[in-house]
Amino acid sequence: MKATDILLPAPMTDAVIAPLKAEGIPLHALWEQPDPERFLAEQGERIRGVATSTLYGRLGAELIEKLPNLEVIASFGVGYDNVDVAAAAARDVMVTNTPGVLDDEVADFTIGLLIATLRQIPQADRFLRDGLWTERAFPLSPTLRGRTIGIVGLGSIGKAIARRLEGFGVDIAYHGRHRQPGVGYPYYPSARELAAACDVLIAILPGGAATRHIIDAGVLKALGPEGVFINVARGSVVDQDALIEALRNRTILVAGLDVYEDEPNVPAALLGLPGVVLLPHIGSASAHTRAAMGRLVADNLIAWFRDGRALTPVPETAHLQG
């Protein structure tokens, strides 16, 4: 493997760090530098790889330009809207993500969030802990029975969610950029049309400018007063203010959210809505799956510097494969 140095803009799991250290690759923790800007000015030309995640925030053109010999950015996660891919591609910098290894985990989690939201499982837990069961029965909940589930974004995770939903005997439909060959579920050309045909809407599509606020007030209105919205995608895909208003006004019934527009800051207005299930972006957060994701980050960097080919390049930079 040719000599290389890798920058870590923010802390990374040992599943990333240990394989890189085993290869003898020098790692530079930017957050440990007393003067990060000075470090970049003096040492930036040594950096040929970056391992990053959403913990760092957005890895934008400004940092990329400070690394004149940068070749590859390995991002932790399937979504890679935290990386300015256009700026990277313009510099012929490879960008990778971690697809596949978290599909089943996120799909399992999504089903759990859906059931917890409909059957009010967190609320029932609090009801019991608060000693209220000795006074009265917990109120009857909504149900999954008889519902039609719409999936916005039928990628690999969306398909894994759909396969699990089939076991519940519910109807399934989807929206995406185009109708997919070989997929038997009904297809709708817009999120609003899908919402009008369903009473549960699951968002599992990439973030970024192209999908920003694809779930807007009109989509939520089409979902209807018995509608359930589940977001395991990115906070940016839903107009959060419109969602809050839809929940307040009973335009929709309830929501289960794992992601937010300004993480980790969750609006007080959402926190004050009693029927909403709110989770701290934990869709893939099992020890098993996060270890697999971290190992894939490391393996992408090792493969790039050893063979000139990344294992999981994002589409925008796949043409850079050696």
Side-chain angles (χ1 to χ4, degrees), residues 114-121 123 138-147 199-200 225-228 250 252-255 275:
L114 173 60
I115 298 298
T117 301
L118 274 167
R119 295 302 313 278
Q120 301 177 352
I121 292 173
Q123 293 88 341
F138 186 73
L140 299 178
S141 73
T143 181
L144 184 62
R145 300 299 93 224
R147 288 184 177 269
D199 45 25
V200 174
E226 295 301 314
V228 177
R250 293 300 301 269
I252 66 171
L253 179 64
V254 73

Side-chain angles (χ1 to χ4, degrees), residues 57-144:
R58 184 162 174 79
L59 198 161
E62 182 180 359
L63 178 57
I64 292 171
E65 288 305 315
K66 292 175 181 177
L67 307 173
N69 295 312
L70 183 63
E71 297 179 25
V72 58
I73 299 168
S75 184
F76 183 98
V78 174
Y80 51 92
D81 49 309
N82 57 306
V83 177
D84 189 334
V85 177
R91 279 268 314 276
D92 288 341
V93 173
M94 171 63 74
V95 179
T96 71
N97 62 342
T98 60
V101 294
L102 50 69
D103 293 359
D104 287 333
E105 196 75 74
V106 176
D108 292 347
F109 171 84
T110 302
I111 300 301
L113 178 56
L114 173 60
I115 298 298
T117 301
L118 274 167
R119 295 302 313 278
Q120 301 177 352
I121 292 173
Q123 293 88 341
D125 177 85
R126 290 195 296 270
F127 180 88
L128 183 149
R129 292 175 187 275
D130 290 343
L132 298 177
W133 194 19
T134 59
E135 301 174 10
R136 61 186 185 275
F138 186 73
L140 299 178
S141 73
T143 181
L144 184 62

Side-chain angles (χ1 to χ4, degrees), residues 56 80 83 94 163 191 249 262 271:
Y56 175 66
Y80 51 92
V83 177
M94 171 63 74
R163 288 194 298 271
N249 299 332
D262 182 27
L271 296 174

Side-chain angles (χ1 to χ4, degrees), residues 152 175 191-192 203 205 210-216 219 236-239:
V152 184
H175 162 69
R192 188 172 301 192
L205 69 165
T211 60
R212 179 172 173 76
H213 290 186
I214 189 173
I215 309 299
D216 59 13
V219 172
S236 62
V237 307
V238 61
D239 182 336

